[in-house]
Amino acid sequence: MNLSELTTESADPRFAGIDTMSVADLAATMNAADASVPGAVARALPWITAAIEATAERMEAGGRLVYVGAGTPGRLGVLDASECPPTFSTPPEQVFAIIAGGESAIVSPCEGAEDDEAAGVAAIEAAGIGPLDTVVGVASSGRTPYVVAAVRRAGELGALTVGLACNAGTPLGGVAEHAIEVLVGPEVVSGSTRLKAGTAQKLVLNMFSTIVMVRLGKTYGNLMVDVKATNGKLRERAVRIVRTITGTGRDEALAVLDRNGFNVKQAVVASRFDLSPQDAAARLARSGGRLRAALGEQV
């Protein structure tokens, strides 16, 4: 793929004089450019929706969500995946990211790693990717060799594959079952895809993890009922959630959480039906871990 033909690599004449602008004018220019990103994401919503629906179906059956990227897209995948355990109590192996160059590339540039197709294939094989899994390749250009090779191999192994790029008609989209193209246009600094392209990718990945987890019953309404209360702030959030759902006072909410190991869903069920932790856990399990169902509410 000819890099000079990529929109993300082109130079927009509107930004040709940024080195002569005041800080205030440059900040306003960047802010105006960034404001176009949500619209670009909105235009891709039909393809985003289809990919998320297919992903949720496989994860419901026990599959995993795996992001693959290099550079900024790889780091965004790591960021999104790393937020799932504290937010939704997912095990680390259920949602994770593969980044070209390995863990060191998260904090240190490893730009050459993105050209290593064999490493992309090896990473997919090492992760044991299979038919229930979803692999989301993220590449601003849509032609990153490591990512394209990884997604292609994941498809060969039966996984659902998604290609998220910021150009049209890319090799990544060509090898993925679901191609998502968010066309954000040229960057303020030509080719610096950590800017609008990176923002667009973050928005799409937010949708992926959040909507899939909502579909898996990880929220009750908009409440984070699967929060892992591992610090003071999150314990206070757990207390507020239990109080909101059950209508109990703070002391009672804290007490039921203590008895139920600060498992919010279990604590709510125990409080609502005056159950022991064991019986509350069993009722929740019979409902597939879905709190609304465990409470006998209409879905």
Side-chain angles (χ1 to χ4, degrees):
M1 193 172 190
N2 190 337
L3 288 175
S4 66
E5 296 176 355
L6 298 178
T7 304
T8 51
E9 292 291 327
S10 61
D12 191 322
R14 293 177 301 166
F15 308 134
I18 60 172
D19 58 332
T20 66
M21 290 182 180
S22 68
V23 171
D25 286 345
L26 187 47
T29 296
M30 289 190 70
N31 181 244
D34 290 341
S36 68
V37 174
V41 173
R43 289 187 288 275
L45 281 176
W47 295 274
I48 295 169
T49 299
I52 292 175
E53 287 176 340
T55 300
E57 184 178 336
R58 295 208 183 193
M59 292 194 74
E60 186 84 65
R64 301 172 294 172
L65 173 58
V66 184
Y67 299 127
V68 181
T72 295
R75 295 182 190 105
L76 289 171
V78 170
L79 173 63
D80 197 76
S82 67
E83 293 289 351
C84 288
T87 307
F88 302 113
S89 289
T90 60
E93 66 275 9
Q94 187 177 20
V95 183
F96 63 94
I98 296 170
I99 182 169
E103 289 187 9
S104 64
I106 298 172
V107 294
S108 301
C110 190
E111 302 301 330
E114 73 172 47
D115 294 329
D116 193 340
E117 295 185 13
V121 170
I124 289 296
E125 293 176 346
I129 296 300
L132 289 180
D133 298 325
T134 298
V135 174
V136 180
V138 190
S140 302
S141 67
R143 44 75 56 203
T144 306
Y146 181 99
V147 180
V148 174
V151 170
R152 180 188 295 113
R153 183 59 180 144
E156 292 169 351
L157 294 170
L160 177 74
T161 55
V162 180
L164 171 58
C166 293
N167 286 287
T170 65
L172 178 58
V175 301
E177 185 175 343
H178 292 269
I180 299 172
E181 297 173 342
V182 184
L183 307 181
V184 296
E187 301 287 2
V188 172
V189 176
S190 179
S192 183
T193 51
R194 68 187 180 87
L195 302 177
K196 288 192 296 179
T199 300
Q201 291 157 10
K202 180 67 168 69
L203 292 176
V204 175
L205 296 186
N206 283 350
M207 291 183 193
F208 250 89
S209 56
T210 304
I211 296 173
V212 165
M213 292 301 155
V214 170
R215 298 296 292 173
L216 294 179
K218 295 288 189 177
T219 66
Y220 176 86
N222 65 343
L223 298 177
M224 193 188 296
V225 290
D226 257 329
V227 62
K228 187 172 287 187
T230 53
N231 62 30
K233 177 189 73 175
L234 296 178
R235 284 191 289 274
E236 281 301 312
R237 183 178 298 165
V239 171
R240 290 198 304 274
I241 292 171
V242 171
R243 293 188 65 188
T244 298
I245 298 173
T246 64
T248 58
R250 174 180 168 76
D251 290 345
E252 185 178 343
L254 187 57
V256 74
L257 278 165
D258 276 333
R259 289 196 299 273
N260 287 274
F262 261 81
N263 181 312
V264 172
K265 286 180 176 178
Q266 189 174 305
V268 168
V269 172
S271 176
R272 178 69 61 85
F273 299 106
D274 193 23
L275 299 175
S276 69
Q278 295 77 15
D279 288 342
R283 184 180 180 110
L284 195 56
R286 289 194 299 271
S287 301
R290 296 175 181 272
L291 181 56
R292 196 174 294 278
L295 296 177
E297 298 177 0
Q298 197 75 25
V299 177

